[in-house]
Amino acid sequence: MIRNFCIIAHIDHGKSTLSDRMLEITGTVEKRKMKEQLLDSMDLEREKGITIKLTPVRMHYKDVELNLIDTPGHVDFTYEVSRSLAAVEGAVLLVDATQGVQAQTIANLYLAMEQNLTIVPVLNKIDLPAADVPRRRAELVKLLGCREEDILLVSGKTGEGVAKLLDEVIARIPPPASQTAGGLRALIFDSKYDDYKGVVAYVRVVDGAVRPHERLRMSASGVTFEVMEAGALTPAYAPNASLAAGEIGYVATGLKSIEGCRVGDTIVREHGSAPALPGYKVVKPMVYAGVFPHEGHTYEELREAMLKLSLSDAALAYEPEYSPALGHGYRCGFLGMLHMEIVQERLRRECQLEVIMTVPSVSYRVFSMKGEVIDVHGPLEMPDQSHIMKTEEPWVRVDVVTPAEFIGGVMALCTDKRGVYKTTEYLDATRALIHYEMPLASIVIDFYDTLKSITSGYASLNYDWLEYREAEIARVDILVAEEPVEALAFLVFEKDAYRIGKSVVEKVSVRRGRDA
Ligand code: GDP
Ligand code: MG
Protein backbone atom coordinates (compact mmCIF):
# COMPACT_ATOMS: atom_id res chain seq x y z
CA MET A 1 0.00 0.00 0.00
CA ILE A 2 1.20 3.47 -0.90
CA ARG A 3 0.06 6.93 0.14
CA ASN A 4 1.57 10.06 -1.39
CA PHE A 5 0.97 13.41 0.28
CA CYS A 6 2.40 16.80 0.98
CA ILE A 7 1.93 19.41 3.64
CA ILE A 8 0.81 22.86 2.58
CA ALA A 9 0.83 25.85 4.88
CA HIS A 10 1.57 29.51 5.25
CA ILE A 11 5.20 30.22 6.11
CA ASP A 12 6.05 29.45 9.78
CA HIS A 13 2.87 27.51 10.46
CA GLY A 14 4.97 24.46 11.30
CA LYS A 15 5.39 22.27 8.22
CA SER A 16 9.02 21.36 8.77
CA THR A 17 8.56 20.71 12.48
CA LEU A 18 5.60 18.43 11.80
CA SER A 19 7.58 16.55 9.13
CA ASP A 20 10.32 15.98 11.72
CA ARG A 21 7.80 14.42 14.13
CA MET A 22 6.50 12.15 11.35
CA LEU A 23 10.06 10.97 10.60
CA GLU A 24 10.47 10.18 14.29
CA ILE A 25 7.16 8.42 14.89
CA THR A 26 7.60 6.22 11.83
CA GLY A 27 11.14 5.36 12.95
CA THR A 28 12.54 6.71 9.68
CA VAL A 29 15.10 8.73 11.57
CA GLU A 30 16.14 7.80 15.09
CA LYS A 31 15.34 10.41 17.67
CA ARG A 32 18.96 10.83 18.76
CA LYS A 33 19.99 11.54 15.16
CA MET A 34 17.28 14.12 14.77
CA LYS A 35 18.48 17.63 14.20
CA GLU A 36 15.75 20.14 13.90
CA GLN A 37 14.01 20.48 10.55
CA LEU A 38 15.78 17.67 8.85
CA LEU A 39 14.19 18.16 5.45
CA ASP A 40 15.43 21.72 5.14
CA SER A 41 18.75 20.70 3.72
CA MET A 42 20.43 24.04 3.16
CA ASP A 43 21.87 25.85 6.19
CA LEU A 44 20.11 28.95 5.04
CA GLU A 45 16.76 27.22 5.15
CA ARG A 46 17.26 26.04 8.68
CA GLU A 47 18.31 29.49 9.79
CA LYS A 48 15.66 31.49 8.03
CA GLY A 49 13.03 28.89 8.80
CA ILE A 50 11.99 28.60 5.19
CA THR A 51 11.92 25.63 2.89
CA ILE A 52 13.46 26.27 -0.49
CA LYS A 53 14.25 22.82 -1.82
CA LEU A 54 11.54 20.21 -1.75
CA THR A 55 12.91 17.07 -0.17
CA PRO A 56 10.72 14.04 -0.69
CA VAL A 57 11.01 11.43 2.03
CA ARG A 58 9.80 7.85 2.29
CA MET A 59 8.48 6.48 5.58
CA HIS A 60 6.92 3.17 6.58
CA TYR A 61 4.02 3.15 8.98
CA LYS A 62 1.74 0.21 9.80
CA ASP A 63 2.67 -1.60 6.53
CA VAL A 64 2.01 1.47 4.41
CA GLU A 65 4.66 3.22 2.30
CA LEU A 66 4.18 6.92 2.98
CA ASN A 67 5.80 9.39 0.62
CA LEU A 68 5.89 12.95 1.91
CA ILE A 69 6.94 16.06 0.02
CA ASP A 70 7.73 19.17 2.03
CA THR A 71 6.81 22.18 -0.10
CA PRO A 72 8.10 25.75 0.12
CA GLY A 73 5.48 28.08 1.58
CA HIS A 74 6.65 31.17 -0.25
CA VAL A 75 4.95 32.82 -3.20
CA ASP A 76 8.20 32.95 -5.23
CA PHE A 77 7.99 29.18 -5.63
CA THR A 78 4.34 28.70 -6.63
CA TYR A 79 5.17 26.75 -9.78
CA GLU A 80 7.39 24.28 -7.86
CA VAL A 81 4.60 23.85 -5.33
CA SER A 82 2.07 23.19 -8.09
CA ARG A 83 4.31 20.43 -9.51
CA SER A 84 4.76 18.71 -6.14
CA LEU A 85 1.01 18.85 -5.70
CA ALA A 86 0.66 17.14 -9.08
CA ALA A 87 2.88 14.34 -7.73
CA VAL A 88 0.60 13.36 -4.83
CA GLU A 89 -3.00 12.37 -4.10
CA GLY A 90 -3.57 14.35 -0.92
CA ALA A 91 -2.48 17.37 1.08
CA VAL A 92 -2.36 18.06 4.78
CA LEU A 93 -3.55 21.67 5.08
CA LEU A 94 -1.71 22.89 8.14
CA VAL A 95 -2.90 26.00 9.95
CA ASP A 96 -1.25 27.56 12.99
CA ALA A 97 -4.01 27.68 15.64
CA THR A 98 -2.62 30.93 17.04
CA GLN A 99 -2.56 32.69 13.65
CA GLY A 100 -5.42 31.21 11.65
CA VAL A 101 -5.76 31.02 7.90
CA GLN A 102 -3.31 33.31 6.07
CA ALA A 103 -2.83 34.51 2.49
CA GLN A 104 -0.58 31.64 1.47
CA THR A 105 -2.79 29.06 3.19
CA ILE A 106 -5.53 30.05 0.77
CA ALA A 107 -3.25 30.30 -2.26
CA ASN A 108 -1.83 26.81 -1.61
CA LEU A 109 -5.27 25.39 -0.90
CA TYR A 110 -6.51 26.59 -4.30
CA LEU A 111 -3.49 25.03 -6.00
CA ALA A 112 -4.28 21.73 -4.24
CA MET A 113 -7.93 21.91 -5.24
CA GLU A 114 -6.93 22.48 -8.88
CA GLN A 115 -5.14 19.11 -8.70
CA ASN A 116 -8.25 17.49 -7.15
CA LEU A 117 -6.30 16.51 -4.04
CA THR A 118 -7.94 15.14 -0.92
CA ILE A 119 -7.49 17.81 1.76
CA VAL A 120 -6.85 16.82 5.37
CA PRO A 121 -7.35 19.98 7.48
CA VAL A 122 -5.15 20.25 10.57
CA LEU A 123 -4.74 22.85 13.30
CA ASN A 124 -1.17 22.98 14.61
CA LYS A 125 0.57 24.41 17.70
CA ILE A 126 -2.26 23.42 20.04
CA ASP A 127 0.30 23.28 22.87
CA LEU A 128 0.48 27.10 22.86
CA PRO A 129 -1.74 29.02 25.29
CA ALA A 130 -2.62 31.46 22.49
CA ALA A 131 -4.09 28.67 20.34
CA ASP A 132 -7.76 29.48 19.76
CA VAL A 133 -9.09 26.14 18.54
CA PRO A 134 -12.85 26.89 18.38
CA ARG A 135 -12.33 30.10 16.41
CA ARG A 136 -9.81 28.61 13.95
CA ARG A 137 -11.97 25.55 13.52
CA ALA A 138 -14.91 27.75 12.51
CA GLU A 139 -12.64 29.57 10.04
CA LEU A 140 -11.61 26.29 8.39
CA VAL A 141 -15.20 25.04 8.23
CA LYS A 142 -16.14 28.25 6.44
CA LEU A 143 -13.19 28.05 4.04
CA LEU A 144 -13.42 24.33 3.19
CA GLY A 145 -17.06 23.55 3.76
CA CYS A 146 -15.93 20.55 5.84
CA ARG A 147 -17.31 19.30 9.17
CA GLU A 148 -15.81 20.35 12.49
CA GLU A 149 -14.96 16.74 13.31
CA ASP A 150 -12.90 16.46 10.09
CA ILE A 151 -10.37 18.91 11.48
CA LEU A 152 -7.47 17.27 13.32
CA LEU A 153 -5.55 18.86 16.17
CA VAL A 154 -1.79 18.44 16.51
CA SER A 155 1.32 19.87 18.03
CA GLY A 156 4.39 19.42 15.88
CA LYS A 157 6.40 20.44 18.88
CA THR A 158 5.18 17.91 21.46
CA GLY A 159 4.07 15.29 18.92
CA GLU A 160 0.50 15.25 20.24
CA GLY A 161 -1.99 14.07 17.61
CA VAL A 162 0.68 13.25 15.01
CA ALA A 163 0.19 9.44 15.08
CA LYS A 164 -3.54 9.97 14.68
CA LEU A 165 -2.83 12.32 11.77
CA LEU A 166 -0.83 9.57 10.03
CA ASP A 167 -3.74 7.16 10.53
CA GLU A 168 -6.09 9.69 8.95
CA VAL A 169 -3.71 10.33 6.04
CA ILE A 170 -3.88 6.58 5.32
CA ALA A 171 -7.65 6.41 5.80
CA ARG A 172 -8.67 9.53 3.86
CA ILE A 173 -6.14 9.91 1.03
CA PRO A 174 -6.68 7.48 -1.85
CA PRO A 175 -3.86 5.20 -3.06
CA PRO A 176 -2.14 6.18 -6.32
CA ALA A 177 -4.06 5.16 -9.42
CA SER A 178 -0.95 4.52 -11.49
CA GLN A 179 -0.43 1.95 -14.21
CA THR A 180 2.43 -0.50 -13.92
CA ALA A 181 2.07 -1.60 -17.53
CA GLY A 182 2.71 0.49 -20.63
CA GLY A 183 5.31 3.13 -21.29
CA LEU A 184 7.24 4.91 -18.57
CA ARG A 185 6.11 8.33 -17.41
CA ALA A 186 7.66 10.05 -14.40
CA LEU A 187 6.96 13.63 -13.34
CA ILE A 188 9.96 15.70 -12.26
CA PHE A 189 8.97 17.96 -9.36
CA ASP A 190 12.46 19.03 -8.34
CA SER A 191 16.11 18.34 -8.97
CA LYS A 192 19.42 18.87 -7.31
CA TYR A 193 23.06 18.51 -8.22
CA ASP A 194 25.26 15.93 -6.56
CA ASP A 195 29.03 15.79 -7.09
CA TYR A 196 28.98 12.00 -7.53
CA LYS A 197 25.59 11.30 -9.10
CA GLY A 198 25.33 14.38 -11.33
CA VAL A 199 21.86 15.83 -11.69
CA VAL A 200 19.40 13.98 -9.45
CA ALA A 201 15.74 14.29 -10.44
CA TYR A 202 13.07 13.97 -7.76
CA VAL A 203 10.18 12.21 -9.43
CA ARG A 204 6.75 10.69 -9.10
CA VAL A 205 6.47 7.62 -11.32
CA VAL A 206 3.04 7.77 -12.92
CA ASP A 207 3.26 4.82 -15.34
CA GLY A 208 5.76 1.98 -15.72
CA ALA A 209 8.97 1.81 -13.70
CA VAL A 210 12.52 3.23 -13.63
CA ARG A 211 15.44 0.78 -13.34
CA PRO A 212 19.20 1.31 -13.20
CA HIS A 213 21.11 1.31 -16.54
CA GLU A 214 18.03 2.02 -18.67
CA ARG A 215 18.24 4.74 -21.33
CA LEU A 216 15.67 7.44 -20.74
CA ARG A 217 14.72 10.86 -22.11
CA MET A 218 13.35 14.13 -20.74
CA SER A 219 10.28 14.84 -22.81
CA ALA A 220 10.42 18.66 -23.11
CA SER A 221 14.16 19.26 -23.09
CA GLY A 222 14.96 16.21 -25.25
CA VAL A 223 18.03 15.37 -23.14
CA THR A 224 18.79 11.63 -22.89
CA PHE A 225 20.70 9.78 -20.19
CA GLU A 226 21.39 6.40 -18.60
CA VAL A 227 19.95 5.82 -15.13
CA MET A 228 22.89 5.57 -12.70
CA GLU A 229 20.74 4.79 -9.73
CA ALA A 230 17.09 5.05 -8.64
CA GLY A 231 15.36 4.67 -5.31
CA ALA A 232 13.83 6.40 -2.32
CA LEU A 233 15.05 9.15 -0.02
CA THR A 234 14.88 8.20 3.63
CA PRO A 235 16.00 11.10 3.59
CA ALA A 236 19.46 9.69 2.63
CA TYR A 237 19.69 7.97 -0.78
CA ALA A 238 18.31 4.44 -0.58
CA PRO A 239 18.93 2.84 -4.01
CA ASN A 240 16.59 0.15 -5.23
CA ALA A 241 16.21 -2.30 -8.10
CA SER A 242 13.28 -0.27 -9.36
CA LEU A 243 11.17 2.77 -8.71
CA ALA A 244 7.68 1.68 -9.66
CA ALA A 245 4.42 3.32 -10.68
CA GLY A 246 2.79 5.23 -7.83
CA GLU A 247 6.08 5.74 -6.01
CA ILE A 248 8.03 8.89 -5.27
CA GLY A 249 11.81 8.89 -5.23
CA TYR A 250 14.93 9.94 -7.07
CA VAL A 251 16.62 9.17 -10.38
CA ALA A 252 20.36 9.83 -10.63
CA THR A 253 21.07 10.84 -14.23
CA GLY A 254 24.81 11.48 -14.24
CA LEU A 255 24.09 14.65 -16.22
CA LYS A 256 26.44 17.54 -15.60
CA SER A 257 23.97 20.35 -16.28
CA ILE A 258 20.70 20.92 -14.47
CA GLU A 259 19.37 22.83 -17.47
CA GLY A 260 18.09 19.73 -19.27
CA CYS A 261 16.23 18.53 -16.17
CA ARG A 262 13.41 20.99 -15.61
CA VAL A 263 10.70 20.96 -12.98
CA GLY A 264 7.44 19.80 -14.54
CA ASP A 265 9.07 17.82 -17.35
CA THR A 266 8.26 14.12 -17.89
CA ILE A 267 10.85 11.31 -18.00
CA VAL A 268 10.05 8.69 -20.67
CA ARG A 269 11.93 5.86 -22.39
CA GLU A 270 14.59 7.05 -24.81
CA HIS A 271 12.60 5.83 -27.82
CA GLY A 272 9.22 5.64 -26.08
CA SER A 273 6.16 7.43 -27.41
CA ALA A 274 4.24 8.02 -24.16
CA PRO A 275 2.82 11.57 -24.16
CA ALA A 276 4.24 14.04 -21.62
CA LEU A 277 2.27 14.67 -18.43
CA PRO A 278 0.31 17.94 -18.46
CA GLY A 279 1.27 21.15 -16.65
CA TYR A 280 4.84 21.73 -17.80
CA LYS A 281 5.92 25.32 -18.20
CA VAL A 282 9.12 27.31 -18.23
CA VAL A 283 9.00 29.78 -15.37
CA LYS A 284 10.12 33.24 -16.25
CA PRO A 285 12.01 35.35 -13.75
CA MET A 286 9.84 38.10 -12.24
CA VAL A 287 12.54 40.40 -10.90
CA TYR A 288 15.93 41.42 -12.29
CA ALA A 289 18.96 43.08 -10.74
CA GLY A 290 22.56 43.73 -11.70
CA VAL A 291 25.09 41.72 -9.69
CA PHE A 292 28.66 42.99 -9.56
CA PRO A 293 31.72 41.89 -7.60
CA HIS A 294 32.34 44.01 -4.54
CA GLU A 295 35.71 45.66 -4.04
CA GLY A 296 38.40 43.05 -3.46
CA HIS A 297 36.67 40.47 -5.68
CA THR A 298 37.05 39.87 -9.40
CA TYR A 299 34.65 39.23 -12.25
CA GLU A 300 36.30 35.82 -12.66
CA GLU A 301 35.35 34.85 -9.09
CA LEU A 302 31.80 36.02 -9.71
CA ARG A 303 31.61 34.01 -12.92
CA GLU A 304 32.66 30.82 -11.16
CA ALA A 305 30.26 31.46 -8.30
CA MET A 306 27.31 31.98 -10.66
CA LEU A 307 28.16 28.75 -12.48
CA LYS A 308 28.28 26.88 -9.19
CA LEU A 309 24.98 28.29 -7.92
CA SER A 310 23.17 27.68 -11.17
CA LEU A 311 24.04 23.97 -10.90
CA SER A 312 21.59 23.66 -8.03
CA ASP A 313 19.23 26.47 -8.97
CA ALA A 314 17.64 26.03 -12.36
CA ALA A 315 15.44 29.10 -11.85
CA LEU A 316 18.38 31.48 -11.65
CA ALA A 317 18.87 33.29 -14.99
CA TYR A 318 21.92 35.41 -15.74
CA GLU A 319 23.69 37.13 -18.59
CA PRO A 320 26.79 39.33 -18.66
CA GLU A 321 26.31 43.04 -18.14
CA TYR A 322 28.79 45.89 -18.21
CA SER A 323 28.40 49.06 -16.23
CA PRO A 324 30.92 51.91 -16.58
CA ALA A 325 30.74 52.48 -12.83
CA LEU A 326 30.70 48.91 -11.53
CA GLY A 327 32.59 47.09 -14.27
CA HIS A 328 31.77 43.58 -15.52
CA GLY A 329 28.99 41.67 -13.83
CA TYR A 330 25.70 39.95 -14.56
CA ARG A 331 22.10 40.92 -15.01
CA CYS A 332 20.29 38.22 -13.04
CA GLY A 333 16.67 37.13 -13.16
CA PHE A 334 14.97 35.89 -10.00
CA LEU A 335 11.59 34.31 -9.25
CA GLY A 336 10.92 37.05 -6.72
CA MET A 337 12.42 39.05 -3.89
CA LEU A 338 13.01 36.10 -1.58
CA HIS A 339 14.75 34.18 -4.33
CA MET A 340 16.97 37.23 -4.92
CA GLU A 341 17.86 37.41 -1.23
CA ILE A 342 18.64 33.70 -1.17
CA VAL A 343 21.02 34.01 -4.13
CA GLN A 344 22.85 36.91 -2.49
CA GLU A 345 23.18 34.92 0.77
CA ARG A 346 24.39 31.81 -1.02
CA LEU A 347 27.02 33.80 -2.92
CA ARG A 348 28.26 35.02 0.43
CA ARG A 349 28.17 31.70 2.28
CA GLU A 350 28.86 29.06 -0.31
CA CYS A 351 31.23 31.07 -2.48
CA GLN A 352 32.66 33.57 0.05
CA LEU A 353 31.81 36.36 -2.35
CA GLU A 354 30.51 39.84 -1.51
CA VAL A 355 28.51 41.42 -4.30
CA ILE A 356 26.82 44.69 -5.11
CA MET A 357 23.20 44.33 -6.21
CA THR A 358 21.56 47.17 -8.08
CA VAL A 359 17.97 48.30 -7.46
CA PRO A 360 15.70 45.46 -8.62
CA SER A 361 13.56 45.96 -11.68
CA VAL A 362 10.66 44.04 -13.19
CA SER A 363 10.72 42.88 -16.80
CA TYR A 364 9.18 45.52 -19.10
CA ARG A 365 7.97 44.80 -22.60
CA VAL A 366 8.91 47.51 -25.05
CA PHE A 367 7.29 47.83 -28.51
CA SER A 368 9.65 49.75 -30.77
CA MET A 369 8.71 52.03 -33.65
CA LYS A 370 10.18 49.38 -35.98
CA GLY A 371 7.68 46.84 -34.72
CA GLU A 372 10.08 44.83 -32.52
CA VAL A 373 9.13 43.57 -29.07
CA ILE A 374 12.00 43.80 -26.59
CA ASP A 375 12.14 42.48 -23.01
CA VAL A 376 13.87 45.12 -20.94
CA HIS A 377 15.32 43.94 -17.64
CA GLY A 378 17.07 47.06 -16.44
CA PRO A 379 17.76 50.74 -17.10
CA LEU A 380 20.81 50.09 -19.29
CA GLU A 381 18.71 48.08 -21.75
CA MET A 382 15.98 50.71 -22.13
CA PRO A 383 15.99 52.12 -25.66
CA ASP A 384 15.86 55.86 -26.18
CA GLN A 385 12.36 57.30 -25.74
CA SER A 386 12.24 58.32 -29.41
CA HIS A 387 12.41 54.65 -30.53
CA ILE A 388 9.58 53.50 -28.28
CA MET A 389 6.02 53.15 -29.47
CA LYS A 390 4.64 51.81 -26.19
CA THR A 391 5.79 50.03 -23.03
CA GLU A 392 3.99 47.37 -20.99
CA GLU A 393 4.63 46.29 -17.43
CA PRO A 394 3.67 43.11 -15.52
CA TRP A 395 0.61 43.15 -13.26
CA VAL A 396 -0.21 40.71 -10.48
CA ARG A 397 -3.26 39.70 -8.44
CA VAL A 398 -2.66 40.58 -4.82
CA ASP A 399 -4.40 38.97 -1.83
CA VAL A 400 -3.98 40.45 1.62
CA VAL A 401 -5.31 38.84 4.79
CA THR A 402 -5.65 41.40 7.58
CA PRO A 403 -7.48 42.01 10.84
CA ALA A 404 -10.54 44.15 10.04
CA GLU A 405 -9.28 47.19 11.97
CA PHE A 406 -6.45 47.67 9.44
CA ILE A 407 -8.57 47.43 6.27
CA GLY A 408 -8.54 51.22 5.79
CA GLY A 409 -4.76 51.42 6.09
CA VAL A 410 -4.18 48.47 3.76
CA MET A 411 -6.49 49.95 1.14
CA ALA A 412 -4.79 53.34 1.35
CA LEU A 413 -1.42 51.66 0.82
CA CYS A 414 -2.63 49.62 -2.15
CA THR A 415 -4.20 52.66 -3.79
CA ASP A 416 -1.02 54.66 -3.28
CA LYS A 417 0.86 51.83 -5.04
CA ARG A 418 -1.43 52.09 -8.10
CA GLY A 419 -3.54 49.14 -6.99
CA VAL A 420 -6.98 48.54 -8.49
CA TYR A 421 -9.48 47.35 -5.87
CA LYS A 422 -11.45 44.18 -6.65
CA THR A 423 -13.31 42.63 -3.67
CA THR A 424 -13.22 41.89 0.04
CA GLU A 425 -14.22 38.62 1.71
CA TYR A 426 -14.47 37.93 5.43
CA LEU A 427 -12.75 34.89 6.93
CA ASP A 428 -14.70 35.54 10.12
CA ALA A 429 -16.12 38.63 11.85
CA THR A 430 -12.70 40.12 12.57
CA ARG A 431 -10.48 39.17 9.61
CA ALA A 432 -10.75 40.05 5.95
CA LEU A 433 -9.23 38.88 2.68
CA ILE A 434 -8.81 41.83 0.29
CA HIS A 435 -8.21 41.39 -3.44
CA TYR A 436 -6.37 43.94 -5.59
CA GLU A 437 -4.71 44.07 -8.97
CA MET A 438 -1.37 45.83 -8.90
CA PRO A 439 1.73 46.48 -10.98
CA LEU A 440 4.44 44.02 -9.90
CA ALA A 441 6.85 46.97 -9.70
CA SER A 442 4.81 48.37 -6.79
CA ILE A 443 5.36 45.21 -4.76
CA VAL A 444 9.02 44.72 -5.50
CA ILE A 445 10.29 47.54 -3.32
CA ASP A 446 9.18 48.08 0.29
CA PHE A 447 5.58 46.91 -0.14
CA TYR A 448 5.76 43.92 2.19
CA ASP A 449 7.61 45.80 4.92
CA THR A 450 5.17 48.71 4.77
CA LEU A 451 2.22 46.34 4.84
CA LYS A 452 3.63 44.63 7.92
CA SER A 453 4.28 47.90 9.71
CA ILE A 454 0.84 49.42 9.12
CA THR A 455 -0.83 46.22 10.35
CA SER A 456 1.43 45.70 13.38
CA GLY A 457 2.79 42.59 11.68
CA TYR A 458 -0.61 40.90 11.32
CA ALA A 459 -1.21 41.07 7.57
CA SER A 460 -0.08 38.37 5.18
CA LEU A 461 0.42 38.69 1.45
CA ASN A 462 0.19 36.53 -1.62
CA TYR A 463 0.37 37.47 -5.29
CA ASP A 464 0.33 35.75 -8.60
CA TRP A 465 0.86 36.60 -12.23
CA LEU A 466 -1.94 38.42 -14.05
CA GLU A 467 -0.90 40.03 -17.36
CA TYR A 468 1.08 42.76 -19.08
CA ARG A 469 -0.56 46.20 -19.19
CA GLU A 470 0.46 49.37 -20.94
CA ALA A 471 2.31 51.90 -18.78
CA GLU A 472 4.27 55.09 -19.07
CA ILE A 473 7.72 54.08 -17.91
CA ALA A 474 10.57 56.52 -17.56
CA ARG A 475 14.27 55.98 -17.18
CA VAL A 476 15.59 58.19 -14.42
CA ASP A 477 19.25 59.21 -14.65
CA ILE A 478 20.95 60.67 -11.65
CA LEU A 479 23.58 63.25 -12.45
CA VAL A 480 26.49 63.79 -10.12
CA ALA A 481 28.47 66.90 -11.01
CA GLU A 482 26.48 66.99 -14.27
CA GLU A 483 27.62 63.46 -15.26
CA PRO A 484 25.04 60.63 -15.37
CA VAL A 485 25.99 57.79 -13.02
CA GLU A 486 24.76 54.60 -14.70
CA ALA A 487 24.81 52.54 -11.53
CA LEU A 488 22.19 54.84 -10.04
CA ALA A 489 19.83 54.84 -13.01
CA PHE A 490 16.48 53.07 -12.65
CA LEU A 491 13.16 52.52 -14.43
CA VAL A 492 9.99 53.79 -12.87
CA PHE A 493 6.34 54.66 -13.49
CA GLU A 494 6.53 58.13 -15.03
CA LYS A 495 4.35 59.91 -12.47
CA ASP A 496 6.56 58.63 -9.64
CA ALA A 497 9.83 59.56 -11.36
CA TYR A 498 10.32 62.90 -9.63
CA ARG A 499 9.36 61.70 -6.13
CA ILE A 500 11.52 58.56 -6.23
CA GLY A 501 14.39 60.30 -8.01
CA LYS A 502 14.43 62.93 -5.28
CA SER A 503 14.59 60.31 -2.54
CA VAL A 504 17.51 58.54 -4.28
CA VAL A 505 19.38 61.84 -4.54
CA GLU A 506 18.74 62.54 -0.87
CA LYS A 507 20.04 59.11 0.14
CA VAL A 508 23.13 59.49 -2.03
CA SER A 509 23.85 62.99 -0.71
CA VAL A 510 23.54 61.78 2.89
CA ARG A 511 25.96 58.98 2.16
CA ARG A 512 28.40 61.30 0.43
CA GLY A 513 28.08 63.69 3.36
CA ARG A 514 28.95 60.87 5.76
CA ASP A 515 31.86 59.68 3.66
CA ALA A 516 33.30 63.18 3.51
P1 GDP B 1 7.42 26.08 8.33
O1 GDP B 1 7.86 27.43 7.83
O2 GDP B 1 5.97 25.86 8.04
O3 GDP B 1 8.30 24.96 7.89
O4 GDP B 1 7.49 26.17 9.93
P2 GDP B 1 8.54 25.56 10.94
O5 GDP B 1 8.36 24.10 11.13
O6 GDP B 1 9.89 26.04 10.57
O7 GDP B 1 8.03 26.23 12.30
C1 GDP B 1 8.00 27.63 12.49
C2 GDP B 1 8.19 27.96 13.97
O8 GDP B 1 7.10 27.46 14.75
C3 GDP B 1 9.44 27.32 14.57
O9 GDP B 1 10.00 28.23 15.48
C4 GDP B 1 8.92 26.09 15.29
O10 GDP B 1 9.71 25.71 16.37
C5 GDP B 1 7.54 26.57 15.76
N1 GDP B 1 6.58 25.46 15.85
C6 GDP B 1 6.25 24.59 14.88
N2 GDP B 1 5.30 23.73 15.31
C7 GDP B 1 5.01 24.07 16.60
C8 GDP B 1 4.10 23.58 17.60
O11 GDP B 1 3.35 22.64 17.38
N3 GDP B 1 4.10 24.22 18.80
C9 GDP B 1 4.92 25.27 19.06
N4 GDP B 1 4.85 25.81 20.26
N5 GDP B 1 5.77 25.76 18.15
C10 GDP B 1 5.83 25.18 16.92
MG1 MG C 1 9.90 24.79 6.56
Side-chain angles (χ1 to χ4, degrees), residues 2-31:
I2 299 176
R3 293 293 182 277
N4 298 316
F5 70 108
C6 57
I7 307 177
I8 51 177
H10 190 75
I11 211 154
D12 275 352
H13 280 203
K15 244 180 324 128
S16 301
T17 308
L18 177 63
S19 313
D20 284 357
R21 289 298 85 68
M22 290 179 171
L23 293 178
E24 235 171 65
I25 289 174
T26 57
T28 309
V29 176
E30 284 171 61
K31 194 157 189 168

Side-chain angles (χ1 to χ4, degrees), residues 461-505:
L461 168 73
N462 190 71
Y463 58 87
D464 63 44
W465 170 257
L466 183 57
E467 63 191 2
Y468 271 102
R469 288 186 190 169
E470 190 166 349
E472 300 292 326
I473 300 299
R475 168 176 164 164
V476 177
D477 283 307
I478 307 276
L479 308 185
V480 176
E482 289 176 29
E483 284 292 320
V485 178
E486 305 227 12
L488 294 178
F490 58 93
L491 298 171
V492 69
F493 185 60
E494 209 166 72
K495 290 203 179 71
D496 291 336
Y498 179 74
R499 182 166 59 92
I500 297 179
K502 191 161 164 258
S503 90
V504 170
V505 170

Side-chain angles (χ1 to χ4, degrees), residues 167-178:
D167 289 333
E168 291 297 317
V169 161
I170 294 167
R172 295 188 203 179
I173 297 175
S178 305

Side-chain angles (χ1 to χ4, degrees), residues 226-262:
E226 182 181 313
V227 179
M228 268 176 77
E229 195 179 288
L233 291 139
T234 62
Y237 294 111
N240 219 321
S242 94
L243 188 62
E247 291 190 307
I248 287 174
Y250 73 96
V251 178
T253 66
L255 293 169
K256 290 292 165 235
S257 159
I258 209 158
E259 233 165 277
C261 179
R262 301 199 197 109

Side-chain angles (χ1 to χ4, degrees), residues 157-404:
K157 186 166 185 188
T158 67
E160 188 184 344
V162 180
K164 162 91 169 130
L165 169 57
L166 289 176
D167 289 333
E168 291 297 317
V169 161
I170 294 167
R172 295 188 203 179
I173 297 175
S178 305
Q179 315 270 334
T180 37
L184 166 70
R185 293 199 296 172
L187 173 70
I188 303 172
F189 59 86
D190 197 16
S191 62
K192 67 174 258 184
Y193 186 79
D194 180 285
D195 286 339
Y196 303 101
K197 301 180 201 299
V199 173
V200 178
Y202 293 167
V203 301
R204 154 69 190 270
V205 182
V206 174
D207 300 313
V210 177
R211 293 180 196 85
H213 311 303
E214 286 175 332
R215 298 256 354 141
L216 304 178
R217 172 169 58 91
M218 315 273 185
S219 192
S221 76
V223 170
T224 61
F225 63 93
E226 182 181 313
V227 179
M228 268 176 77
E229 195 179 288
L233 291 139
T234 62
Y237 294 111
N240 219 321
S242 94
L243 188 62
E247 291 190 307
I248 287 174
Y250 73 96
V251 178
T253 66
L255 293 169
K256 290 292 165 235
S257 159
I258 209 158
E259 233 165 277
C261 179
R262 301 199 197 109
V263 173
D265 203 350
T266 307
I267 296 180
V268 294
R269 302 221 171 283
E270 183 170 19
H271 302 293
S273 57
L277 295 159
Y280 173 70
K281 70 176 187 187
V282 178
V283 272
K284 288 231 185 83
M286 299 274 257
V287 178
Y288 290 81
V291 177
F292 297 90
H294 199 270
E295 250 175 286
H297 294 282
T298 62
Y299 172 70
E300 199 48 38
E301 287 176 86
L302 177 62
R303 197 178 69 89
E304 268 170 34
M306 295 302 289
L307 269 173
K308 182 176 167 202
L309 283 201
S310 60
L311 273 181
S312 58
D313 186 348
L316 173 64
Y318 62 103
E319 53 190 51
E321 182 174 73
Y322 176 74
S323 146
L326 299 170
H328 288 281
Y330 290 101
R331 176 120 303 242
C332 298
F334 309 99
L335 297 175
M337 297 306 285
L338 177 67
H339 186 212
M340 178 170 130
E341 216 181 295
I342 291 166
V343 169
Q344 185 164 11
E345 271 302 305
R346 291 188 62 203
L347 284 170
R348 181 176 302 144
R349 290 178 193 209
E350 293 167 34
C351 312
Q352 286 78 46
L353 194 69
E354 291 290 335
V355 294
I356 297 171
M357 285 221 181
T358 62
V359 180
S361 163
V362 300
S363 175
Y364 295 99
R365 205 149 75 174
V366 175
F367 295 76
S368 77
M369 294 293 186
K370 285 193 217 144
E372 297 160 315
V373 184
I374 313 160
D375 285 326
V376 171
H377 300 153
L380 303 183
E381 296 168 22
M382 197 59 145
D384 190 80
Q385 208 64 36
S386 64
H387 298 299
I388 298 176
M389 195 174 70
K390 67 166 182 173
T391 305
E392 292 181 344
E393 66 173 336
W395 277 61
V396 288
R397 281 190 203 88
V398 172
D399 308 323
V400 177
V401 169
T402 176

